[in-house]
Amino acid sequence: MHSRSEENPRQEIEEAIAAGDLNRLMMISGMLHGHFCPFSALGVKAAARTIKELGVSSTGMEEVVAIVETNNCFSDGVQIITGCSFGNNALIYRDYGKTAFTLAKRTGEGVRVSIRADRAMEERSPEAAELFEKVVIKRSGSEADKERLTKLWKELSFSVLRLPDEEVFDIKRVTVDVPTYARIFASVKCSVCGENIMEPRARVKDGKLVCIPCSGQEYYQLAGDGISTITR
Ligand SMILES: [Zn+2]
Ligand SMILES: [Zn+2]
């Protein structure tokens, strides 16, 4: 006999969204994100809002997609609460460097949420802003500074959840071009290292199929700075 949650692994998240229980959602997002911070809180809040507006639920099969425009903390709140993740191909990353995202149905019908004036976050806690500069940007704070920042961030995160959406977000109905469903590609074997590679990523070297690392050719990398081309 299966409990309901075994059939729907996202049941707890869906129930919390329906009940407007953002605190619960924030606790859940911490499991993925590793800490509580205002921008992941905004991601959680934005995600819950768009899911309610579009009336969708996600089973991670690309029936709904999240188009994120940044890879900062905001996007982790979006991933876990929308269920559109890096691994299930329902997360689309546009390297715009904006704290914004769109949740869209396959039809292209979507809702875009962007943050109004990020500065507001610093005004809400000048002490946290100062510690952020010291601990995160300059990587120089003491253990006590880190602990204090963790505590302030947590308080700030949960207080952000209580703000009216319209005070922190611009929310717009949009129509977007949703990419096609992820294709399933054949695998080929690298003739140098012997590992399998998804076919379109195979390269040819000396007339043989090889993987990108064995080819020595350039590749794309998504890291903290966004997408860049790595040339070796
Ligand atoms: Zn964070
Ligand atoms: Zn190889």
Side-chain angles (χ1 to χ4, degrees), residues 184-204 208-212 214:
I184 309 294
F185 294 105
S187 287
V188 295
K189 204 189 237 314
C190 170
S191 64
V192 176
C193 70
E195 291 186 352
N196 278 338
I197 330 146
M198 153 188 171
E199 198 173 19
R201 293 296 175 275
R203 300 289 180 262
V204 178
K208 287 179 175 162
L209 287 179
V210 293
C211 70
I212 291 173
C214 290

Side-chain angles (χ1 to χ4, degrees), residues 206-230:
D206 302 329
K208 287 179 175 162
L209 287 179
V210 293
C211 70
I212 291 173
C214 290
S215 76
Q217 292 179 20
E218 64 177 24
Y219 58 94
Y220 298 114
Q221 174 172 282
L222 171 60
D225 291 346
I227 295 172
S228 56
T229 307
I230 308 292

Side-chain angles (χ1 to χ4, degrees), residues 1 20 26 35 38 48 58 70 81 85 103 106 111 118 130 149 155 177 191 195 215 226:
M1 177 125 169
M26 192 64 204
H35 60 257
S58 167
T70 176
I81 302 309
S85 76
L103 189 73
R106 276 274 136 208
V111 177
D118 306 17
E130 207 175 291
L149 180 61
E155 287 168 9
D177 284 327
S191 64
E195 291 186 352
S215 76

Side-chain angles (χ1 to χ4, degrees), residues 121-141 145-146 148-149 152-153 156:
M121 215 43 66
E122 287 155 34
E123 284 155 23
R124 281 178 222 285
S125 176
E127 190 189 353
E130 207 175 291
L131 283 168
F132 181 81
E133 173 89 20
K134 204 164 158 189
V135 173
V136 183
I137 299 176
K138 296 187 177 145
R139 302 203 182 268
S140 70
D145 288 337
K146 282 181 204 165
R148 178 76 184 138
L149 180 61
L152 285 173
W153 256 359
L156 200 52

Side-chain angles (χ1 to χ4, degrees), residues 19-190:
D21 188 352
L22 294 179
N23 284 356
R24 181 79 206 114
L25 294 174
M26 192 64 204
M27 295 307 293
I28 294 169
S29 84
M31 292 184 212
L32 173 68
H33 194 55
H35 60 257
F36 300 108
C37 67
F39 275 80
S40 65
L42 288 166
V44 164
K45 191 173 169 65
R49 171 68 186 246
T50 56
I51 287 172
K52 274 199 158 171
E53 282 221 3
L54 283 181
V56 290
S57 65
S58 167
T59 60
M61 298 299 286
E62 305 172 54
E63 69 278 66
V64 286
V65 297
I67 303 167
V68 297
E69 301 176 25
T70 176
N71 59 338
N72 71 22
C73 300
F74 180 78
S75 296
D76 266 357
V78 169
Q79 283 194 84
I80 191 149
I81 302 309
T82 63
C84 300
S85 76
F86 187 71
N88 67 21
N89 294 315
L91 185 78
I92 293 156
Y93 179 60
R94 292 189 181 155
D95 197 0
Y96 293 167
K98 292 187 184 185
T99 305
F101 100 103
T102 301
L103 189 73
K105 297 183 190 176
R106 276 274 136 208
T107 55
E109 184 194 343
V111 177
R112 181 175 184 270
V113 180
S114 60
I115 304 280
R116 292 177 63 157
D118 306 17
R119 296 265 129 208
M121 215 43 66
E122 287 155 34
E123 284 155 23
R124 281 178 222 285
S125 176
E127 190 189 353
E130 207 175 291
L131 283 168
F132 181 81
E133 173 89 20
K134 204 164 158 189
V135 173
V136 183
I137 299 176
K138 296 187 177 145
R139 302 203 182 268
S140 70
S142 65
E143 278 309 306
D145 288 337
K146 282 181 204 165
E147 268 174 39
R148 178 76 184 138
L149 180 61
T150 303
K151 187 172 177 287
L152 285 173
W153 256 359
K154 186 173 181 188
E155 287 168 9
L156 200 52
S157 303
F158 284 85
S159 70
V160 158
L161 295 177
R162 291 192 295 273
L163 298 171
D165 286 351
E166 278 67 19
E167 196 179 302
V168 281
F169 299 137
D170 279 321
I171 303 167
K172 268 192 299 200
R173 287 265 168 183
V174 291
T175 306
V176 294
D177 284 327
V178 177
T180 54
Y181 278 102
R183 285 175 289 165
I184 309 294
F185 294 105
S187 287
V188 295
K189 204 189 237 314
C190 170

